[in-house]
Amino acid sequence: MSGFPDDIPFFDEDDPTPPPPAAQKPSGIAARAMAARSGGPDTRYLDALNPEQRLAVETTEGPVLVLAGAGTGKTRVLTTRIAHILASGRAYPSQILAVTFTNKAAREMKMRIGTLVGEAIEGMPWLGTFHSIGVKILRKHAELAGLKSSFTILDTDDQIRLMKQIIQAEGLDDKRWPPRQFAQMVDGWKNKGLAPKDIPEGDARAFANGKGRELYAAYQDRLKTLNAVDFGDLLCHPIRILRDHPDVLADYHRKFRYILVDEYQDTNTAQYMWLRLLAQRPKSTEPVNICCVGDDDQSIYGWRGAEVDNILRFEKDFPGAAVIRLERNYRSTAHILGAASHLIAHNEGRLGKTLFTEQSDPDDPKVKVHAAWDSEEEARAVGEEIEALQTKGHALNDIAILVRASFQMREFEDRFVTLGLNYRVIGGPRFYERMEIRDAMAYFRIVAQAADDLAFERIVNVPKRGLGEASVRQIHDVSRMREATLLQAARDLVGTEEMKPKPRASLRTLVDNIERWQGMLDRTPHTELAEIILEESGYTDMWKNDRSAEAPGRLENLKELIRSMEDYDSLRGFLEHVALVMDAERDEELDAVSLMTLHSAKGLEFPTVFLPGWEEGLFPHQRALDEGGRSGLEEERRLAYVGLTRAKRNLHLWFASNRRIHGLWQSTIPSRFLDELPEAHVDVAEESNSYGGYSAGQPGRPNPYGKSRFDDQPAFSNSYATPGWQRAQKNRTEATTRNWGNRSGHQVERIGYGEADSGYGAGRGSVKGRVIEGELVAKSVSDTPSSFKVGDRVFHLKFGNGNVAAIEGNKLTINFDKAGQKRVLDGFVERV
DNA sequence: GTCCGCTACCTTTTT
DNA sequence: GGTAGCGGAC
């Protein structure tokens, strides 16, 4: 989403002089750092390290793999290593390539290196995300990829809209072949570095009756004409450039003396290829100074193309590599580490690390496992516990709730709202993804880069100005005929009689406006221009006249957008920033509980952590099991490991016996991961309102640990047919029975809560109203028509006799004689 | 051209 | 049960 002038200098911040031999005196930061130590070398920064960390920092030459367990000081090692390379005069800042995955990580590294070296570093031009460095390379060599250096970066939304156009242009039905799905396929290919001609036949055939390859090629063509790239291209184009142009590659080889990679376990194939190209010097015996830092146990992004194998294979890829393990943990208590280590040990195919701590205190609390009747009670109990902590003076900022899936957040939010407890959701819809922001940005884009057709399309009728589908089609036709941009086509069209007077007039106003704004681009301060655009286009008015609840917030966001533009010195600079840096900072002032998914919690830590929803089907997620088999399960287990290791001191795991899944209440069984925790470090909470123990047959006690009850499944190819699943089903029945046995006792308590709690129990009846309308079964929803007929007399284990009133797939609506009307799965009733 | 109601979805997410 | 996105009605 950004335009860039062709003449922008890319390497101006780089040192133009040839690289110094290590002994020679460097300039810039390194020189300052060296100058600072008048006597012997000032290596005080090394004193803060433990022996392993120090080894990782001082092994500067040759390939190094640092296996850094959770909380072992990974970032410290990375930043100190860079500081060390600089301070010892081994390289200029511009000769170090340091890649991260997120902007946040890059920012943090920059800051910490700055602190170590004693000055803010302006001079680390090659520290950034894979994507931002990709942009940099691509802008410099755009013509080698058939682009102009002013290319635009499309985000996912633009990408999907473009795909839609292409699918329709091919005469295909976009219902049958959803653009979103195709975008995902293309993403997958790009993650593997595959061009249209490289994709496997099977893949090509899988979409649109074998048209997958053509569509992909058409999409790439279209991008080229638009002078645009998507996120995947930011990796793929540089790879192709480096591979096809040895002279260019050689330049970068000369340039980068040290390469550092953060979170190496998350790299995908394309990123791996990119790194290999830059790191390997085929015709030289010169050692490759590449240092990858990562933790195979925290690889949780396989589903988006990350290859754990990259880290597992490192020693083969880089012969003679030093492998350094960081296992000394500074974050968590021995109980938490014990639990996490024991859990992760159930995974195969890991490099193997065991975290330990030297700070052990007999007072440390064990990991607590809690049972709740259902997800509402889970939220309520966690809320109470947090209130209790707050009363004791615990800061809410020190507390986090980490969920497997974002729908779980709702109940906690609801609960916190009623309690008046401050909370913040991390990782929700991002600022720059909001509609109003994207609209405004589209206006800025079309002004900054007139060829940005996608931007033009987005705003042509926002606010509504009577330019609907018909008008847009006309513009498109002209644009195709004349091979002109949409804006040019629109300009031409208003000069003819082709449009009806009304749309023509409003299109003329729009085009006039855009051209006027373009004329102002270089003469008007960009924040001022931005305000003018939003004002004159009628965009601000649109929201001012909107009476919906969100409108004021949207206006506020627009103001915030303008405010944030002040940090950049031009509209173009701002657009470039936004294309890549899609995050907004959080409000640090507020004392609030953090609520987020396990995925977004990676890298964070909190004194107190709640992990709700440890149930089969949710965590591990059924879909991970179905689609990922054994490796899917292992990734879920790593996710559990990530969750556990976020906690510093207090760790609470929860599971509920009943949860609403796709609208139906289902009975659930505790997660197998609970069985995989070591008894020695875990306490099962015996709350007054607890609903029985979590382990089949041993209420209140964990299973003897070691082998999980699911462990000896050969494979999960069809998880429902495996002995493990059968057993799970059996256990499930036992658990359910037990829960039902307990039920009435809890119901009383529940009703007490229920009265105070708005609408609690309403619609689900009173005492008998805690309806379990199904159970965690494989086919909770199925297209297979039920064998029942309307009017059939049936029997249900819990609800008794009734008549089938309606059938929807395998879901039956039954009028029970005593329990009233319920919807249940057909597997739970039998004909009588 | 716009609005509303129905249907199909429903894991995780960065750039 | 909640929502997004599409198609039909005005």
Side-chain angles (χ1 to χ4, degrees):
Chain A
M1 313 207 239
S2 63
F4 232 77
D6 288 41
D7 58 353
I8 193 148
F10 296 99
F11 277 59
D12 57 348
E13 70 283 67
D14 285 8
D15 199 302
T17 58
Q24 215 172 299
K25 275 224 161 175
S27 62
I29 289 167
R32 268 174 274 151
M34 287 176 93
R37 48 159 149 120
S38 32
D42 177 6
T43 52
R44 267 175 302 176
Y45 54 83
L46 292 176
D47 299 344
L49 305 176
N50 66 38
E52 306 86 67
Q53 292 174 330
R54 190 163 173 160
L55 184 64
V57 164
E58 292 187 309
T59 312
T60 53
E61 311 306 301
V64 179
L65 176 64
V66 180
L67 287 173
T72 55
K74 178 194 69 159
T75 312
R76 159 166 289 175
V77 165
L78 266 173
T79 51
T80 312
R81 187 179 163 96
I82 292 176
H84 183 63
I85 290 169
L86 293 174
S88 59
R90 285 178 166 82
Y92 292 130
S94 67
Q95 292 171 323
I96 300 174
L97 171 68
V99 271
T100 64
F101 274 82
T102 63
N103 292 296
K104 195 177 155 210
R107 230 179 299 136
E108 191 182 329
M109 269 179 66
K110 268 196 175 149
M111 231 182 60
R112 288 178 62 169
I113 296 169
T115 316
L116 281 173
V117 177
E119 302 219 14
I121 30 167
E122 312 102 39
M124 286 279 301
W126 298 98
L127 189 166
T129 63
F130 277 100
H131 294 266
S132 66
I133 289 168
V135 176
K136 203 166 171 156
I137 293 177
L138 192 53
R139 290 236 190 259
K140 182 159 166 67
H141 311 286
E143 74 292 344
L144 299 179
L147 294 163
K148 282 182 282 178
S149 147
S150 58
F151 62 81
T152 297
I153 303 164
L154 303 185
D155 65 17
T156 321
D157 210 72
D158 294 324
Q159 194 188 353
I160 289 171
R161 283 193 299 149
L162 201 55
M163 299 255 178
K164 189 170 175 177
Q165 291 174 9
I166 282 157
I167 288 171
Q168 287 170 344
E170 286 284 316
L172 293 162
D173 179 9
D174 64 327
K175 300 279 134 46
R176 221 182 109 95
W177 307 109
R180 181 172 297 274
Q181 193 192 326
F182 187 58
Q184 272 165 16
M185 290 186 79
V186 170
D187 256 3
W189 292 326
K190 290 190 176 175
N191 281 340
K192 294 198 172 82
L194 300 175
K197 64 173 167 46
D198 306 322
I199 60 175
E201 272 310 307
D203 278 19
R205 260 185 248 281
F207 196 82
N209 307 323
K211 284 198 168 170
R213 189 193 309 276
E214 286 154 62
L215 287 172
Y216 181 14
Y219 170 71
Q220 289 307 114
D221 274 353
R222 188 87 184 93
L223 284 177
K224 207 174 269 185
T225 24
L226 283 172
N227 192 30
V229 297
D230 63 20
F231 284 125
D233 288 337
L234 294 180
L235 296 172
C236 290
H237 283 318
I239 288 174
R240 244 158 264 143
I241 291 171
L242 297 176
R243 197 167 44 195
D244 301 344
H245 302 273
D247 50 322
V248 176
L249 182 59
D251 275 349
Y252 285 102
H253 280 169
R254 247 170 277 132
K255 172 176 270 301
F256 299 136
R257 302 175 70 84
Y258 293 92
I259 299 176
L260 294 93
V261 187
D262 191 17
E263 305 278 18
Y264 190 60
Q265 78 282 353
D266 288 338
T267 48
N268 60 36
T269 307
Q271 286 155 338
Y272 170 77
M273 290 163 69
W274 192 93
L275 282 171
R276 287 209 47 157
L277 277 166
L278 290 171
Q280 284 193 333
R281 282 119 223 245
K283 289 194 193 117
S284 150
T285 49
E286 197 187 339
V288 185
N289 299 325
I290 184 170
C291 172
C292 293
V293 181
D295 181 358
D296 50 321
D297 291 335
Q298 292 189 70
S299 161
I300 55 176
Y301 286 111
W303 51 273
R304 65 175 196 208
E307 292 279 346
V308 210
D309 209 40
N310 291 347
I311 195 168
L312 302 178
R313 222 180 36 222
F314 187 87
E315 289 178 86
K316 283 206 194 93
D317 286 340
F318 298 99
V323 177
I324 299 166
R325 283 182 163 73
L326 304 182
E327 299 175 302
R328 195 184 305 251
N329 177 291
Y330 296 97
R331 179 184 293 156
S332 312
T333 65
H335 287 312
I336 292 168
L337 294 180
S341 301
H342 200 277
L343 176 93
I344 200 64
H346 289 78
N347 271 4
E348 288 166 10
R350 43 194 296 266
L351 292 169
K353 282 179 274 67
T354 310
L355 297 179
F356 66 94
T357 176
E358 284 170 355
Q359 295 140 353
S360 184
D361 184 335
D363 289 342
D364 286 340
K366 288 189 178 184
V367 176
K368 272 224 163 72
V369 175
H370 309 252
W373 167 244
D374 64 12
S375 47
E376 285 172 354
E377 188 196 283
E378 182 185 63
R380 182 167 40 247
V382 169
E384 271 169 25
E385 201 149 342
I386 291 175
E387 281 193 314
L389 286 168
Q390 194 181 22
T391 320
K392 279 190 254 166
H394 216 79
L396 296 183
N397 276 336
D398 288 345
I399 302 174
I401 301 174
L402 313 179
V403 297
R404 170 68 244 261
S406 46
F407 74 82
Q408 291 172 264
M409 291 186 193
R410 236 195 117 85
E411 267 162 319
F412 288 97
E413 291 194 60
D414 286 353
R415 193 63 208 153
F416 294 164
V417 168
T418 19
L419 292 176
L421 205 62
N422 289 338
Y423 70 91
R424 84 176 113 242
V425 174
I426 295 177
R430 258 158 271 285
F431 185 71
Y432 289 109
E433 281 165 13
R434 293 184 195 160
M435 184 194 2
E436 66 277 15
I437 300 301
R438 294 183 48 85
D439 288 340
M441 296 293 297
Y443 271 105
F444 304 158
R445 279 161 62 187
I446 190 71
V447 171
Q449 210 198 314
D452 198 331
D453 284 359
L454 287 161
F456 181 82
E457 253 189 292
R458 187 178 175 100
I459 51 92
V460 67
N461 201 28
V462 179
K464 303 250 174 344
R465 39 173 84 88
L467 297 169
E469 210 183 315
S471 312
V472 172
R473 173 149 314 145
Q474 271 183 303
I475 304 174
H476 260 294
D477 288 345
V478 175
S479 135
R480 211 166 309 129
M481 246 160 40
R482 313 233 172 119
E483 296 192 334
T485 65
L486 290 181
L487 185 62
Q488 284 165 338
R491 159 65 42 205
D492 290 354
L493 207 50
V494 295
T496 69
E497 299 290 317
E498 276 175 63
M499 282 181 118
K500 295 203 175 119
K502 232 172 147 186
R504 198 171 117 195
S506 78
L507 185 59
R508 168 170 292 139
T509 317
L510 178 68
V511 175
D512 285 348
N513 275 339
I514 294 175
E515 288 175 350
R516 193 160 34 79
W517 298 325
Q518 286 171 342
M520 294 167 74
L521 192 56
D522 295 323
R523 307 183 266 110
T524 319
H526 63 292
T527 48
E528 205 173 297
L529 179 61
E531 277 178 325
I532 292 173
I533 294 173
L534 296 184
E535 210 51 58
E536 295 185 353
S537 62
Y539 193 73
T540 342
D541 285 339
M542 176 179 110
W543 289 116
K544 279 185 186 152
N545 297 329
D546 190 305
R547 318 198 119 255
S548 68
E550 311 93 72
R554 297 194 193 273
L555 284 166
E556 197 45 52
N557 288 336
L558 289 172
K559 275 192 202 140
E560 175 61 35
L561 177 70
I562 307 250
R563 224 173 296 141
S564 65
M565 292 174 79
E566 286 167 11
D567 300 339
Y568 299 84
D569 40 46
S570 75
L571 195 56
R572 290 198 174 100
F574 178 68
L575 291 172
E576 170 85 358
H577 159 83
V578 170
L580 291 173
V581 184
M582 298 281 282
D583 51 13
E585 297 98 70
R586 59 170 214 180
D587 182 6
E588 299 283 347
E589 302 288 293
L590 187 70
D591 185 36
V593 178
S594 297
L595 190 52
M596 68 192 97
T597 63
L598 287 161
H599 283 92
S600 32
K602 194 165 89 161
L604 305 178
E605 58 175 38
F606 299 89
T608 299
V609 169
F610 293 89
L611 303 174
W614 282 48
E615 297 132 37
E616 282 297 302
L618 177 59
F619 193 31
H621 200 280
Q622 192 58 50
R623 227 164 123 170
L625 262 31
D626 291 350
E627 287 165 19
R630 169 113 216 157
S631 68
L633 172 64
E634 296 212 339
E635 183 153 312
E636 294 287 290
R637 195 178 276 117
R638 291 193 290 267
L639 195 52
Y641 175 79
V642 167
L644 298 176
T645 52
R646 297 311 96 195
K648 292 168 107 162
R649 187 172 159 79
N650 306 303
L651 178 56
H652 299 274
L653 313 185
W654 282 83
F655 71 92
S657 302
N658 296 282
R659 190 173 293 275
R660 191 160 29 206
I661 300 172
H662 309 328
L664 294 173
W665 280 98
Q666 314 215 304
S667 171
T668 51
I669 55 170
S671 171
R672 69 190 76 190
F673 296 151
L674 291 170
D675 288 353
E676 296 173 0
L677 299 172
E679 211 172 352
H681 297 295
V682 176
D683 257 345
V684 176
E686 298 282 357
E687 278 125 321
S688 56
N689 61 346
S690 159
Y691 284 84
Y694 68 81
S695 203
Q698 295 181 58
R701 301 287 295 169
N703 269 355
Y705 59 90
K707 220 165 187 193
S708 149
R709 67 180 186 269
F710 296 87
D711 245 17
D712 32 10
Q713 295 178 66
F716 288 84
S717 50
N718 177 359
S719 43
Y720 310 131
T722 59
W725 179 255
Q726 303 293 337
R727 243 172 313 138
Q729 291 292 46
K730 190 163 154 283
N731 290 341
R732 187 242 321 133
T733 317
E734 287 165 18
T736 311
T737 315
R738 197 171 57 248
N739 287 329
W740 277 88
N742 278 343
R743 188 166 148 261
S744 56
H746 291 288
Q747 207 59 43
V748 177
E749 214 165 336
R750 174 164 271 310
I751 288 166
Y753 282 116
E755 301 313 285
D757 197 352
S758 67
Y760 190 77
R764 284 192 295 277
S766 57
V767 177
K768 283 193 178 147
R770 183 48 52 175
V771 178
I772 313 303
E773 284 170 318
E775 309 211 18
L776 185 76
V777 286
K779 292 193 156 104
S780 70
V781 178
S782 150
D783 317 302
T784 332
S786 172
S787 65
F788 291 91
K789 295 192 303 291
V790 172
D792 276 357
R793 185 74 177 157
V794 294
F795 173 76
H796 186 278
L797 194 64
K798 274 98 187 185
F799 304 135
N801 290 310
N803 297 310
V804 176
I807 303 171
E808 238 183 277
N810 64 340
K811 286 180 226 160
L812 309 176
T813 305
I814 298 172
N815 290 319
F816 287 104
D817 301 350
K818 290 190 178 134
Q821 193 176 75
K822 311 278 177 212
R823 289 176 80 209
V824 301
L825 297 172
D826 65 357
F828 291 93
V829 296
E830 53 188 65
R831 250 190 223 90
V832 287

